């Protein structure tokens, strides 16, 4: 990253590579490494921030989301299968499979403060219907359906103390907030947090900072939006591409936001018009992010 990192809220292109559907950035503070997925190509990517070293792991289906584990592995959600990847040896171990019986695939997911892998799905038909679900997956391979009735489950993030969980439907388009029990992983008292639109941006991936503010990738409007805990819009930062997909906090002080984007369905003309679509950006912010928990193996 360049010397202008200290300019607040100014997105910069992180690396000069383009992806079709980059999503689910994850920060590994122990290795100073950023991970992300290019969902449709079934690839998991890693970038060493200091050296610029790159690594790519290939899978045989879409890779919707993933998270880091407390044993140094990565838990990966493919189209239906959940497995472990050892990033050092490339060893892969299947944990379980989401058997929902519909044409769906995994989408946004994140490790919760309860140490479980929370994975949402999406209707994989062109005419999206509210048939997708949100699942909680634990190290014993148990899959528990926690909520249902979504078109594209998205936007999972937790408040700094873990007492609230945010969850969106990109085609709602809305963000809900649940009471969250860290000890049990139970969710209750769902309330509407935000109703959004294409102008400000339908809610894609999300993250929360230490002031409890919710950052949402406004995927339909080219914005990264920061909302106060009461839902007030505090910032709307234009991105250098039309379709940002998900933010995550990282860097030594957790004050760098990494944001993925997509160019899925772009024509050649649109790709030429928006050459930064599908790239990753970074920007410096004032308030550090909430560190994401590691999966409890």
């Amino acid at each position: 990253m360049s010397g202008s990192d200290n300019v607040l809220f100014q997105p910069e292109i992180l690396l000069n590579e383009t992806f079709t559907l980059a999503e689910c950035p994850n920060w590994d503070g122990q290795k100073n490494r950023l991970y992300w997925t290019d969902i449709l190509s079934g690839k998991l990517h890693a970038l060493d921030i200091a050296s610029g070293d790159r690594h790519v792991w290939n899978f045989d289906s879409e890779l919707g989301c993933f998270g880091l584990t407390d044993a140094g592995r990565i838990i990966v959600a493919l189209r239906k299968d959940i497995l472990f990847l050892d990033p050092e040896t490339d060893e892969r171990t299947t944990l379980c499979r989401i058997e929902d019986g519909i044409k769906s695939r995994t989408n946004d997911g994140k490790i919760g403060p309860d140490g479980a892998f929370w994975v949402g799905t999406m209707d994989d038909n062109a005419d999206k219907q509210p048939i997708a679900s949100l699942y909680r997956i634990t190290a014993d391979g148990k899959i528990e359906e926690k909520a249902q009735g979504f078109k594209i489950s998205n936007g999972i993030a937790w408040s700094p103390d873990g007492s609230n969980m945010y969850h969106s439907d990109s085609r709602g388009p809305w963000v809900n907030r649940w009471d969250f029990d860290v000890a049990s992983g139970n969710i209750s008292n769902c309330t509407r947090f935000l109703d959004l639109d294409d102008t400000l941006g339908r809610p894609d991936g999300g993250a929360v900072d230490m002031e409890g503010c919710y950052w949402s990738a406004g995927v339909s409007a080219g914005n990264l939006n920061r909302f106060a805990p009461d839902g007030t819009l505090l910032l709307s930062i234009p991105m250098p591409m039309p379709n940002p997909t998900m933010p995550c906090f990282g860097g030594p002080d957790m004050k760098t936001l990494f944001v993925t984007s997509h160019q899925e369905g772009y024509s050649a003309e649109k790709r030429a018009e928006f050459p930064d679509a599908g790239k990753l950006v970074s920007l410096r912010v004032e308030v550090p992010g909430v560190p994401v928990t590691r999966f409890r193996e």
Side-chain angles (χ1 to χ4, degrees):
M1 289 180 283
S2 73
S4 59
D5 275 344
N6 292 326
V7 178
L8 291 175
F9 313 126
Q10 296 298 313
E12 296 184 341
I13 301 301
L14 183 64
L15 73 166
N16 194 30
E17 294 183 47
T18 302
F19 307 94
T20 303
L21 181 52
E23 268 279 12
C24 200
N26 270 262
W27 174 251
D28 184 347
Q30 296 175 8
K31 296 182 178 179
N32 198 38
R33 180 183 284 181
L34 180 71
Y35 292 93
W36 67 96
T37 174
D38 192 1
I39 293 179
L40 301 180
S41 68
K43 295 180 186 296
L44 177 66
H45 294 267
L47 169 69
D48 185 295
I49 296 297
S51 69
D53 288 346
R54 291 276 285 108
H55 197 94
V56 183
W57 295 268
N58 293 285
F59 295 85
D60 59 5
S61 81
E62 300 97 327
L63 198 170
C65 57
F66 63 95
L68 308 179
T69 84
D70 60 6
R73 296 198 290 180
I74 300 173
I75 186 167
V76 176
L78 301 181
R79 183 177 184 84
K80 302 282 189 180
D81 294 300
I82 312 297
L83 55 84
F84 291 109
L85 166 72
D86 185 326
E88 305 303 323
T89 66
D90 199 30
E91 180 183 3
R92 300 159 191 222
T93 308
T94 300
L95 176 64
C96 55
R97 179 178 172 85
I98 297 173
E99 299 284 6
D100 57 4
I102 58 175
K103 188 183 178 187
S104 70
R105 68 161 174 84
T106 64
N107 195 48
D108 181 81
K110 192 171 287 184
I111 311 303
D114 57 340
F117 190 20
W118 289 75
V119 177
T121 58
M122 60 174 279
D123 183 1
D124 207 20
N125 294 286
D127 181 20
K128 297 288 186 285
Q129 298 298 315
I131 60 173
S133 298
L134 178 64
Y135 298 93
R136 179 179 185 264
I137 300 170
T138 47
D140 56 4
K142 179 182 177 183
I143 303 175
E144 183 182 3
E145 187 181 48
K146 303 296 286 189
Q148 58 279 319
F150 315 116
K151 296 179 181 179
I152 303 179
S153 176
N154 228 320
I156 304 170
W158 283 266
S159 60
D161 64 359
S163 66
N164 291 118
M165 181 184 79
Y166 294 91
H167 174 246
S168 71
D169 187 337
S170 295
R171 293 291 180 90
W174 47 253
V175 182
N176 283 343
R177 182 164 55 196
W178 298 77
D179 290 345
F180 190 83
D181 187 287
V182 174
S184 66
N186 288 333
I187 55 175
S188 59
N189 300 324
C190 180
T191 58
R192 182 59 47 86
F193 176 57
L194 299 169
D195 283 298
L196 294 168
D197 56 32
D198 283 330
T199 303
L200 188 59
R202 294 196 312 270
D204 206 307
V208 173
D209 64 32
M210 292 302 290
E211 290 183 350
C213 295
Y214 182 78
W215 292 78
S216 175
V219 68
S220 60
N223 296 327
L224 181 63
N225 300 311
R226 183 184 187 231
F227 298 95
D230 66 0
T232 301
L233 177 67
L234 301 176
L235 282 172
S236 186
I237 303 169
M239 294 286 103
M241 66 280 293
N243 302 114
T245 56
M246 184 173 176
C248 89
F249 288 91
D253 59 2
M254 293 296 284
K255 290 184 180 180
T256 297
L257 266 174
F258 298 102
V259 185
T260 49
S261 70
H262 83 75
Q263 57 164 344
E264 181 185 3
Y266 277 35
S267 64
E269 292 77 15
K270 190 172 182 180
R271 287 196 300 272
E273 183 181 358
F274 299 105
D276 291 328
K279 294 181 180 179
L280 276 64
V281 303
S282 66
L283 63 154
R284 295 289 289 166
V285 296
E286 293 177 305
V287 180
V290 177
V292 176
T293 311
R294 288 181 177 246
F295 183 79
R296 192 177 303 132
E297 287 202 49

